[in-house]
Amino acid sequence: MDINYELYKVFHHVASSLSFSEASRKLFISQSAVSQSIKTLERKLGQPLFVRSTKRVLLAPAGELLLKYIEPAIHLIERGEQQLMDCTLGLGQLHIGASDTICRYFLVPYLKQFHEQFPQVPIKVTNATSLSCVDLLSQGKVDLIISNYPNSRMDSSYIQKTVAYFNDVFLANPSCFPLEGQELSFANLRQYPILMLDKKSTTSEFLHNQFLQHQMELIPEAELSSNDLLIDLAKIGIGIAFIPDYCISQDTSELFILKMKEQIPKRQLVAAVNPSLPISPSTKEFLRLLPEKTDNNETTT
């Protein structure tokens, strides 16, 4: 089917904003030109893409389906154009995706080091869960992600290097939960209020899977979006927090790590790129700065 790319571009702007006038403003063309482009695309595809009324514009079922394919395609084209400019003008922009926790406890020193070496390169960081970061990467919205692994949305082809290994631990306030020195099983632990990250996180997936492997269901007391908030709630005795051990600092000295009967496997922090796209010059330089860890936590060169 021979359809002009510009028609898809207009469709993407209208579908993203659900506004013909907003698409007109962003594309620097008249609203009537936007409307005519959508009518032409609908005619070529043989079905309506939008449901129009005097008050609002909504996506029709065909429009919703088309947007799922057009949106990542548009982003990939824009990333390709940007990388061509980068090759001409220098390293270009570095755009990284990572969770708040990974940014705070791992990424900041390497961003500082990169900025000192390449002060002319703009750095952009998009915060999202490790699961959502894979979506950003596959859509071409970021150059690189630092993610917890295993990650149900990412296979090993994405991984450039393992930058850290870590353990997940249960933290509690000893004055509220006098369990220090005791060895607890998952069955014992279910008697206490568990605080953990929400279901949109790899950490939640991981812990639920650990319980399922022992034929048990985990029902947490609270599911939050911040490891720091989990630690704060554990400090005041609301419950027992499940967090990555790299979040432990002097601020958590009043808490203790529960001793578990079941061994909880190590996880990884990985640097990942989209395997179907070329790696930008700025991404290559940033990857060189990151350590590469083996499973015994030694750094390789």
Side-chain angles (χ1 to χ4, degrees), residues 185-203:
S185 66
F186 282 165
N188 298 143
L189 198 61
R190 289 200 304 169
Q191 303 173 29
Y192 300 97
I194 303 300
L195 314 175
M196 60 185 294
L197 291 180
D198 61 38
K199 292 180 180 177
K200 297 178 181 179
S201 68
T202 53
T203 300

Side-chain angles (χ1 to χ4, degrees), residues 24-37:
S24 168
R25 186 183 67 80
K26 289 185 177 180
L27 291 166
F28 301 100
I29 60 176
S30 67
Q31 190 168 332
S32 61
V34 171
S35 180
Q36 187 58 47
S37 294

Side-chain angles (χ1 to χ4, degrees), residues 186 205-214 263-265:
F186 282 165
E205 277 191 346
F206 176 73
L207 185 57
H208 279 286
N209 285 337
Q210 291 301 305
F211 271 76
L212 288 174
Q213 287 175 21
H214 291 86
Q263 184 175 5
I264 301 175

Side-chain angles (χ1 to χ4, degrees), residues 18 58 90 101-102 108 201:
L18 293 178
L58 297 174
T101 301
I102 291 173
V108 169
S201 68

Side-chain angles (χ1 to χ4, degrees), residues 14-280:
V14 177
S16 299
S17 62
L18 293 178
S19 168
F20 281 70
S21 59
E22 181 67 14
S24 168
R25 186 183 67 80
K26 289 185 177 180
L27 291 166
F28 301 100
I29 60 176
S30 67
Q31 190 168 332
S32 61
V34 171
S35 180
Q36 187 58 47
S37 294
I38 295 300
K39 288 179 181 178
T40 300
L41 183 59
E42 289 177 324
R43 185 174 67 253
K44 286 180 174 288
L45 293 174
Q47 49 194 314
L49 300 174
F50 295 95
V51 178
R52 304 165 178 84
S53 69
T54 55
K55 293 184 178 180
R56 60 180 180 171
V57 176
L58 297 174
L59 279 166
E64 292 180 354
L65 178 62
L66 184 62
L67 182 61
K68 290 179 181 179
Y69 292 93
I70 292 299
E71 187 167 36
I74 293 287
H75 288 306
L76 289 175
I77 291 171
E78 290 174 348
R79 295 299 301 168
E81 292 173 343
Q82 184 62 51
Q83 287 201 23
L84 285 174
M85 291 180 63
D86 292 348
C87 292
T88 303
L89 302 176
L91 290 180
Q93 177 179 267
L94 174 67
H95 193 170
I96 299 175
S99 69
D100 290 342
T101 301
I102 291 173
C103 284
R104 178 178 180 183
Y105 291 101
F106 175 80
L107 200 52
V108 169
Y110 299 104
L111 291 174
K112 179 177 182 291
Q113 189 177 349
F114 182 84
H115 180 62
E116 289 171 348
Q117 289 190 23
F118 306 101
Q120 77 282 7
V121 177
I123 299 173
K124 184 176 181 180
V125 179
T126 296
N127 285 142
T129 66
S130 288
L131 292 174
S132 297
C133 280
V134 180
D135 295 336
L136 295 174
L137 192 62
S138 63
Q139 293 168 12
K141 293 182 179 180
V142 296
D143 302 307
L144 169 77
I145 65 172
I146 308 298
S147 167
N148 292 326
Y149 190 80
N151 186 320
S152 61
R153 296 186 188 173
M154 178 173 67
D155 63 46
S156 59
S157 67
Y158 282 75
I159 299 172
Q160 287 294 300
K161 59 171 64 174
T162 296
V163 297
Y165 284 83
F166 65 92
N167 292 102
D168 296 279
V169 297
F170 291 95
L171 281 183
N173 184 327
S175 63
C176 302
F177 300 96
L179 302 169
E180 202 164 3
Q182 299 182 37
E183 185 178 73
L184 298 177
S185 66
F186 282 165
N188 298 143
L189 198 61
R190 289 200 304 169
Q191 303 173 29
Y192 300 97
I194 303 300
L195 314 175
M196 60 185 294
L197 291 180
D198 61 38
K199 292 180 180 177
K200 297 178 181 179
S201 68
T202 53
T203 300
S204 175
E205 277 191 346
F206 176 73
L207 185 57
H208 279 286
N209 285 337
Q210 291 301 305
F211 271 76
L212 288 174
Q213 287 175 21
H214 291 86
Q215 291 78 49
M216 284 181 278
E217 182 182 7
L218 172 62
I219 302 176
E221 181 75 11
E223 295 176 298
L224 306 173
S225 59
S226 165
N227 279 303
D228 292 328
L229 185 54
L230 292 176
I231 292 170
D232 289 340
L233 294 183
K235 286 180 181 179
I236 61 175
I238 298 296
I240 296 172
F242 183 73
I243 65 164
D245 61 2
Y246 59 78
C247 297
I248 296 174
S249 65
Q250 291 182 348
D251 292 338
T252 60
S253 59
E254 64 200 79
L255 303 174
F256 74 96
I257 298 174
L258 274 68
K259 184 178 180 181
M260 298 302 301
K261 181 178 179 181
E262 292 89 353
Q263 184 175 5
I264 301 175
K266 285 183 178 181
R267 289 196 290 158
Q268 306 165 43
L269 285 182
V270 299
V273 299
N274 189 326
S276 64
L277 297 175
I279 302 175
S280 70

